[in-house]
Amino acid sequence: MKISVFRKEHFNAAHRLHNPAWPDDKNQQVFGKCNNPNYHGHNYDMIVQITGEIDPETGYVMDMKVLSDIIKQNIVARFDHKNLNLDTEEFKNLNPTAENIAMVIWKILRPKIDSKHDLKIKLYETERNFVEFPAN
Amino acid sequence: MKISVFRKEHFNAAHRLHNPAWPDDKNQQVFGKCNNPNYHGHNYDMIVQITGEIDPETGYVMDMKVLSDIIKQNIVARFDHKNLNLDTEEFKNLNPTAENIAMVIWKILRPKIDSKHDLKIKLYETERNFVEFPAN
Amino acid sequence: MKISVFRKEHFNAAHRLHNPAWPDDKNQQVFGKCNNPNYHGHNYDMIVQITGEIDPETGYVMDMKVLSDIIKQNIVARFDHKNLNLDTEEFKNLNPTAENIAMVIWKILRPKIDSKHDLKIKLYETERNFVEFPAN
Amino acid sequence: MKISVFRKEHFNAAHRLHNPAWPDDKNQQVFGKCNNPNYHGHNYDMIVQITGEIDPETGYVMDMKVLSDIIKQNIVARFDHKNLNLDTEEFKNLNPTAENIAMVIWKILRPKIDSKHDLKIKLYETERNFVEFPAN
Amino acid sequence: MKISVFRKEHFNAAHRLHNPAWPDDKNQQVFGKCNNPNYHGHNYDMIVQITGEIDPETGYVMDMKVLSDIIKQNIVARFDHKNLNLDTEEFKNLNPTAENIAMVIWKILRPKIDSKHDLKIKLYETERNFVEFPAN
Amino acid sequence: MKISVFRKEHFNAAHRLHNPAWPDDKNQQVFGKCNNPNYHGHNYDMIVQITGEIDPETGYVMDMKVLSDIIKQNIVARFDHKNLNLDTEEFKNLNPTAENIAMVIWKILRPKIDSKHDLKIKLYETERNFVEFPAN
């Protein structure tokens, strides 16, 4: 039987929800206050889940210090204290909803994690709104 | 691959665990202090999980504001600041354990959520006792 | 300089806010859904704060295990899984608001705690509504 | 003896730390990544503390529903989903540090709260950085 | 459809990560500060998840009070305020990583839980490092 | 009016409560399972509170990044992943109760913080047991 290990990290960012293919009033109607042209922001908490076998020599699935460094170098350094819409390549043409941010984080981390391990991302936009990719 | 989105809401209610088919001493023995005839109560936290595809136009599985309104109109308005045993139709003849409350919430919300989406309910009776329906 | 030590305990109870000197419509207007005649309930978290000198022999202000037992015997045993309005002497004639519950807990515990120590009670009715008695 | 009551509310906002009297390199040196010209953001949690006597008729210091409405109308409506630097009068010419935001919230709320009551604001910029005004 | 019920308990313990088959420098390199020969420690939170059918007579999957007692007698009594490496049989010859602790807890509890129920363990070593066994 | 700023940091350590001037049975009687000769451990959370005036140029009482570095260099580097009784000078001859640890942290940090600022330490040994030095 396999086991999952989890590491929690966080970043703080500004964003705005907006679909450039829509007129302003439709953006306002669909995204409401999240469409504010001057942006708003969040403390994002992310939980990275790795699933695999326990290595009998270390007792680890993988070293959490290594996983933490991978997350900090690839995700936190890229998104922390940034404006997701203006400062990042990933969301220049992709609406930075929690769903899309989680999927982008998964795509960035997937090639950095041993392919024998499964990867899942849980992203908290607030304590009350969060997402998980991929779904069980 | 599908993604899950989660919305957390809460309600405060009184309840009593009791099986009317049993004599008082068996109810007392099985349910202990939860059988108190004058009721006790909890702050219930519920997490509603919707699983589906991301809509490419919005970047949403579904609008969390819409989901929040569905939960408030159908669950919070029905159970908040109520006595589950006395004030609700759902628990007139059903013991309001955390298990049954979660199942009832699922049954109320299921027809309100697009049938292409999966639905799951996590209900916290306390920080230390909670349930999830359906199980993975 | 003195130091404070804190112990967190909890109880779950039903209650109803009501002033018997008022007509029903005024109770409803002032207390709203908290006036529900069939009660509602909460998970109450309480933090008991003791302030004093460190005993040089133990390194303790007081033994937290002893404090925990005092709280459990005098507060939890009295209020847990009870209807505050119906099942307790303290709230037969006193409206069980968070303010009054905190003051009652303070009055019950004060004679059980060494008089050389200061005592303060923080009571959480919910994560978002809480009180502290006495104020700083 | 007086008692304190607390109400927790929250807002999400973008901001940037910047002193316009300084050259860019000094702003960068002092405020680091918080000086990002395109802003970043936070989930701000605020706890509003009111200290006073318990009203013997209600058992309240003040009605938490009324306090919640005052906070929502005066603070949340003003700052939620806003860019503090660009969208608000208060921070056009005041650096939106946690310290200054807490002080501004206090100044806005002070005239809305009965003058017989003391007022204190605790503001969480993150779980790990927070402020309280005025200090004890 | 089945339902899961969860019970949270905790224990505080000292431990050291070490592979006796390796030389000291390799232990130091792999386990870093977790290899400290004089041990360090954690507040471990564990969540025990039981999955099964709701008993129509009780409305329970299983009585949480019974589950809590099973956990306290078999896990908390064994590991709380212990040095996992020195004071327990289970980790005399097994490295007490979070992964191995979760698996050991699962193996101890599995025969104590009705075989018709599924069992899963989530173990928090810190708020930011945790594991789940078996994986979904 | 002054304002307080708070920074939360944490360390994980092993310890044992013991008074070498007492016989073993008295140590066992007073400190119970905390007297285990092989140690146990905790995740310690500490909140460092600095009180002073807001600097009008920065909007800061003090830079939280600087405060975080002071805490990490002076407290975390000294106590994290250590056995407080065996690995530290401070607790060679001082019982490492939460009270004494908080007081030691205060004494180490006091000369590192500008003397015009007040300093207070809140230390969580567990979620349910914590201390604050000095008391208000």
Side-chain angles (χ1 to χ4, degrees):
Chain A
M1 282 189 300
K2 293 195 168 181
I3 189 166
S4 293
V5 298
F6 303 80
R7 175 73 192 173
K8 186 179 174 188
E9 300 285 351
H10 58 92
F11 59 92
N12 309 318
H15 79 153
R16 176 200 191 194
L17 300 187
H18 186 75
N19 181 340
W22 289 346
D24 280 0
D25 57 348
K26 180 158 186 195
N27 269 296
Q28 179 55 36
Q29 180 201 325
V30 171
F31 295 119
K33 58 188 182 177
C34 298
N35 184 239
N36 177 16
N38 286 329
Y39 312 98
H40 64 284
H42 296 292
N43 303 331
Y44 290 95
D45 271 329
M46 68 186 137
I47 296 174
V48 175
Q49 177 182 356
I50 305 291
T51 301
E53 309 281 352
I54 301 180
D55 177 327
E57 283 208 305
T58 58
Y60 284 162
V61 172
M62 77 176 280
D63 186 334
M64 286 294 93
K65 179 73 181 61
V66 171
L67 179 57
S68 172
D69 288 345
I70 291 172
I71 303 169
K72 281 174 180 153
Q73 287 158 21
N74 291 280
I75 307 298
V76 177
R78 198 181 299 234
F79 296 147
D80 189 35
H81 282 71
K82 295 289 170 60
N83 183 309
L84 297 178
N85 306 66
L86 298 181
D87 296 330
T88 76
E89 282 310 309
E90 289 77 8
F91 300 104
K92 283 262 161 64
N93 299 301
L94 181 67
N95 203 8
T97 59
E99 287 91 328
N100 280 336
I101 300 172
M103 211 169 54
V104 160
I105 292 173
W106 187 90
K107 284 180 182 165
I108 295 170
L109 291 182
R110 184 61 273 186
K112 312 289 182 186
I113 303 292
D114 193 324
S115 62
K116 73 186 173 194
H117 291 151
D118 289 326
L119 172 67
K120 198 184 282 286
I121 307 297
K122 198 161 193 173
L123 182 78
Y124 289 78
E125 191 173 86
T126 70
E127 241 189 319
R128 308 182 80 171
N129 283 335
F130 45 105
V131 305
E132 190 175 46
F133 179 81
N136 279 333
Chain B
M1 283 190 299
K2 292 194 169 184
I3 188 165
S4 293
V5 298
F6 303 81
R7 175 73 193 171
K8 186 179 175 188
E9 300 285 351
H10 59 92
F11 60 92
N12 309 319
H15 79 152
R16 175 202 190 193
L17 301 188
H18 186 75
N19 181 340
W22 289 347
D24 280 0
D25 58 348
K26 181 157 185 195
N27 268 297
Q28 178 54 39
Q29 180 202 322
V30 172
F31 295 120
K33 59 187 182 179
C34 298
N35 184 239
N36 177 16
N38 286 329
Y39 313 97
H40 63 284
H42 295 292
N43 303 331
Y44 289 96
D45 271 329
M46 68 187 137
I47 296 174
V48 176
Q49 177 182 356
I50 305 290
T51 301
E53 309 280 351
I54 302 180
D55 178 327
E57 281 209 306
T58 59
Y60 285 161
V61 171
M62 78 176 280
D63 185 334
M64 285 294 94
K65 179 74 182 59
V66 171
L67 178 58
S68 173
D69 287 345
I70 291 171
I71 303 169
K72 281 174 181 154
Q73 286 158 22
N74 291 281
I75 307 299
V76 177
R78 199 181 299 234
F79 296 147
D80 188 35
H81 283 71
K82 295 290 169 59
N83 183 310
L84 297 179
N85 306 65
L86 298 181
D87 295 330
T88 76
E89 283 309 309
E90 289 77 8
F91 299 104
K92 283 262 160 64
N93 300 300
L94 180 68
N95 202 7
T97 59
E99 287 91 329
N100 280 335
I101 299 172
M103 211 169 55
V104 160
I105 292 172
W106 188 89
K107 284 179 182 165
I108 294 171
L109 291 182
R110 184 59 275 186
K112 312 289 182 186
I113 303 292
D114 193 324
S115 62
K116 74 186 172 192
H117 291 151
D118 289 326
L119 172 67
K120 198 185 283 285
I121 306 297
K122 198 161 194 174
L123 182 78
Y124 289 77
E125 192 173 85
T126 70
E127 239 189 320
R128 308 182 80 171
N129 283 336
F130 46 104
V131 305
E132 190 175 46
F133 179 81
N136 280 333
Chain C
M1 283 189 299
K2 294 194 168 183
I3 188 167
S4 293
V5 297
F6 302 81
R7 176 72 192 172
K8 186 179 174 188
E9 300 284 351
H10 59 92
F11 59 93
N12 309 318
H15 80 152
R16 176 203 190 191
L17 301 188
H18 186 74
N19 181 341
W22 289 347
D24 280 1
D25 58 348
K26 181 157 186 197
N27 269 297
Q28 179 55 36
Q29 179 202 324
V30 172
F31 296 120
K33 58 188 182 178
C34 298
N35 184 239
N36 177 16
N38 285 329
Y39 314 98
H40 64 284
H42 296 292
N43 302 332
Y44 290 95
D45 271 329
M46 69 186 137
I47 296 174
V48 176
Q49 177 181 356
I50 306 290
T51 302
E53 309 280 352
I54 301 180
D55 177 326
E57 282 209 305
T58 58
Y60 284 163
V61 171
M62 78 176 279
D63 185 335
M64 286 293 94
K65 179 73 181 61
V66 171
L67 178 57
S68 172
D69 287 345
I70 291 173
I71 302 169
K72 281 175 180 151
Q73 287 158 21
N74 292 280
I75 307 298
V76 177
R78 198 182 298 235
F79 296 147
D80 188 34
H81 282 71
K82 295 290 170 57
N83 183 310
L84 297 179
N85 305 66
L86 298 180
D87 295 331
T88 77
E89 283 309 309
E90 290 77 8
F91 299 104
K92 283 263 159 66
N93 299 301
L94 181 68
N95 202 7
T97 59
E99 289 90 328
N100 281 336
I101 300 172
M103 212 170 53
V104 160
I105 291 173
W106 187 90
K107 284 180 182 166
I108 294 170
L109 291 182
R110 183 59 276 189
K112 312 289 183 186
I113 303 292
D114 193 324
S115 63
K116 73 185 174 196
H117 291 151
D118 289 326
L119 173 67
K120 199 185 282 287
I121 306 298
K122 198 161 193 174
L123 182 79
Y124 289 77
E125 192 172 87
T126 69
E127 240 189 318
R128 308 183 80 170
N129 283 335
F130 45 105
V131 305
E132 190 175 44
F133 179 82
N136 280 333
Chain D
M1 282 190 298
K2 293 194 168 182
I3 189 166
S4 293
V5 298
F6 302 81
R7 176 72 192 172
K8 187 178 173 188
E9 300 285 351
H10 58 92
F11 60 93
N12 309 319
H15 79 153
R16 176 202 190 191
L17 300 188
H18 187 74
N19 181 340
W22 290 346
D24 280 1
D25 59 348
K26 180 156 185 198
N27 269 297
Q28 179 55 37
Q29 179 202 324
V30 172
F31 296 120
K33 59 189 181 178
C34 298
N35 184 239
N36 177 15
N38 285 329
Y39 313 97
H40 64 284
H42 295 291
N43 303 332
Y44 290 96
D45 271 329
M46 69 186 136
I47 296 174
V48 176
Q49 176 182 356
I50 305 290
T51 301
E53 309 280 352
I54 301 179
D55 178 326
E57 282 208 305
T58 58
Y60 285 161
V61 171
M62 77 176 280
D63 185 333
M64 285 295 94
K65 180 72 180 63
V66 171
L67 179 57
S68 173
D69 287 345
I70 291 172
I71 302 170
K72 281 173 181 154
Q73 287 159 20
N74 291 281
I75 306 300
V76 177
R78 199 182 297 236
F79 296 147
D80 189 35
H81 282 71
K82 295 289 170 58
N83 182 310
L84 296 179
N85 306 66
L86 297 181
D87 294 331
T88 77
E89 283 309 309
E90 290 77 9
F91 299 104
K92 284 262 160 64
N93 299 301
L94 181 68
N95 202 8
T97 59
E99 290 90 328
N100 281 336
I101 300 172
M103 211 170 53
V104 160
I105 292 173
W106 187 90
K107 284 180 181 166
I108 294 170
L109 291 182
R110 184 59 274 188
K112 311 290 182 186
I113 303 291
D114 192 325
S115 62
K116 74 186 175 195
H117 291 152
D118 289 327
L119 172 67
K120 199 185 281 287
I121 306 297
K122 198 160 194 173
L123 182 79
Y124 289 78
E125 192 172 86
T126 70
E127 242 190 318
R128 308 181 81 171
N129 283 336
F130 45 104
V131 305
E132 190 175 45
F133 179 82
N136 280 333
Chain E
M1 283 190 298
K2 294 194 168 183
I3 188 166
S4 292
V5 298
F6 303 80
R7 176 72 191 171
K8 186 179 174 187
E9 300 285 352
H10 59 93
F11 59 93
N12 310 319
H15 79 154
R16 175 201 191 193
L17 301 188
H18 186 74
N19 182 340
W22 290 346
D24 280 1
D25 58 348
K26 180 155 186 197
N27 269 297
Q28 178 55 39
Q29 179 201 324
V30 172
F31 295 120
K33 58 189 182 177
C34 298
N35 184 239
N36 177 15
N38 286 329
Y39 313 97
H40 64 284
H42 295 291
N43 303 332
Y44 290 96
D45 271 328
M46 68 187 136
I47 296 174
V48 176
Q49 176 182 355
I50 305 291
T51 301
E53 309 280 352
I54 301 180
D55 178 326
E57 281 209 305
T58 58
Y60 284 162
V61 171
M62 78 176 279
D63 186 335
M64 285 294 93
K65 179 73 182 62
V66 171
L67 178 57
S68 173
D69 287 345
I70 290 172
I71 303 170
K72 281 175 181 152
Q73 287 158 22
N74 292 281
I75 307 299
V76 177
R78 198 182 297 235
F79 297 147
D80 189 34
H81 282 71
K82 295 291 171 57
N83 183 310
L84 297 179
N85 306 66
L86 298 181
D87 296 330
T88 76
E89 282 311 309
E90 289 78 7
F91 300 104
K92 283 262 161 63
N93 300 300
L94 182 67
N95 203 6
T97 59
E99 288 91 329
N100 280 336
I101 300 173
M103 212 169 53
V104 161
I105 292 173
W106 188 90
K107 283 179 181 165
I108 295 171
L109 291 182
R110 183 61 274 186
K112 312 289 181 186
I113 302 292
D114 192 324
S115 63
K116 73 185 173 195
H117 291 152
D118 290 326
L119 172 67
K120 198 184 283 285
I121 307 296
K122 197 161 194 174
L123 182 79
Y124 290 77
E125 192 174 85
T126 69
E127 241 189 318
R128 307 183 80 170
N129 284 335
F130 45 104
V131 305
E132 190 175 45
F133 179 81
N136 280 333
Chain F
M1 283 190 298
K2 292 193 169 184
I3 189 166
S4 293
V5 297
F6 303 81
R7 177 71 192 171
K8 187 178 174 188
E9 300 284 352
H10 59 92
F11 59 93
N12 309 319
H15 79 152
R16 176 201 190 194
L17 301 187
H18 186 73
N19 181 339
W22 290 346
D24 280 2
D25 57 348
K26 180 157 185 196
N27 269 297
Q28 178 55 37
Q29 179 202 323
V30 172
F31 295 119
K33 59 188 181 179
C34 298
N35 184 239
N36 177 16
N38 285 329
Y39 314 97
H40 64 284
H42 295 291
N43 304 331
Y44 290 96
D45 271 329
M46 69 187 135
I47 296 174
V48 176
Q49 176 182 356
I50 306 291
T51 301
E53 309 280 352
I54 300 179
D55 178 325
E57 282 209 306
T58 58
Y60 284 162
V61 171
M62 77 176 280
D63 185 334
M64 286 293 93
K65 180 72 181 61
V66 172
L67 179 57
S68 172
D69 288 345
I70 291 173
I71 302 169
K72 281 174 181 153
Q73 287 158 22
N74 291 281
I75 307 299
V76 177
R78 199 181 298 235
F79 296 147
D80 188 35
H81 282 71
K82 296 289 169 59
N83 183 309
L84 297 179
N85 306 67
L86 298 181
D87 295 331
T88 77
E89 283 309 310
E90 291 77 8
F91 300 103
K92 283 262 161 63
N93 300 300
L94 181 67
N95 203 7
T97 59
E99 288 91 328
N100 281 335
I101 300 172
M103 211 170 53
V104 160
I105 292 173
W106 187 90
K107 284 180 182 164
I108 294 170
L109 291 182
R110 183 60 274 187
K112 312 289 183 187
I113 302 292
D114 193 324
S115 63
K116 73 186 174 194
H117 291 151
D118 289 327
L119 173 66
K120 198 185 282 287
I121 307 297
K122 198 161 194 173
L123 182 78
Y124 289 78
E125 192 173 86
T126 69
E127 239 189 319
R128 307 182 81 172
N129 283 336
F130 45 105
V131 305
E132 190 175 44
F133 179 81
N136 280 332

